[in-house]
Amino acid sequence: MGVRVRAARGPPNPQGPVRPDDTTWALMCYVLTIAVGFLAPLVLYFVKKNESPFVRHHAAQSLNVQLTYLLHIIIALAVGGVLAVVFQHPAPLVICLVPVLLFHMVAQWVLLILGAVRAHQGVANRFPTWLCFRMVR
């Protein structure tokens, strides 16, 4: 007798029915990202990618969120660093980096919690591209 997973808003799961064990592992991709960073979804991605497409999808989403934020911070650091060197003052670096860091602190928590909720509901979600580039599939 299988457990019935309740449908939620968002794209349907293309892989078919989801096992309860898969929803737990997918949920852990997001929860462990909040707790320990990008290493948890990376390990889960490599361990579960051939066993469960649902877990692989959510681990990839969690990794993509982390990689996108890292990319945004590196770009802000580079732009601010160049401007700081040109103007010979650290203010442009602070002006470029602080808003990006503050935005991503809030956005990361929101997206990871939203992803955890949807993973627990058995829904394969996709975050907006401007917040989460699809680098890992």
Side-chain angles (χ1 to χ4, degrees):
M1 185 160 89
V3 174
R4 186 173 169 203
V5 178
R6 194 176 61 127
R9 291 186 335 194
N13 185 13
Q15 296 88 17
V18 179
R19 298 178 306 190
D21 186 45
D22 289 345
T23 59
T24 303
W25 283 111
L27 172 69
M28 294 307 290
C29 291
Y30 297 105
V31 172
L32 291 176
T33 299
I34 293 171
V36 295
F38 75 94
L39 288 176
L42 182 65
V43 169
L44 286 172
Y45 179 81
F46 284 119
V47 169
K48 294 286 189 177
K49 73 177 181 179
N50 294 328
E51 294 176 24
S52 170
F54 183 74
V55 176
R56 186 191 78 235
H57 171 78
H58 283 284
Q61 285 290 311
S62 182
L63 281 171
N64 287 336
V65 167
Q66 298 295 311
L67 291 172
T68 301
Y69 294 164
L70 178 65
L71 185 63
H72 287 173
I73 290 169
I74 288 173
I75 290 170
L77 189 60
V79 169
V82 167
L83 291 174
V85 169
V86 167
F87 292 116
Q88 297 178 350
H89 195 274
L93 179 61
V94 172
I95 291 171
C96 288
L97 197 57
V98 169
V100 171
L101 289 174
L102 291 175
F103 171 75
H104 284 305
M105 283 187 336
V106 173
Q108 179 179 9
W109 278 87
V110 169
L111 288 182
L112 291 176
I113 290 170
L114 180 65
V117 168
R118 288 188 177 167
H120 180 68
Q121 293 172 342
V123 176
N125 69 316
R126 182 170 295 158
F127 298 127
T129 304
W130 67 276
L131 281 175
C132 180
F133 302 140
R134 291 189 65 209
M135 295 178 260
V136 178
R137 295 180 190 259

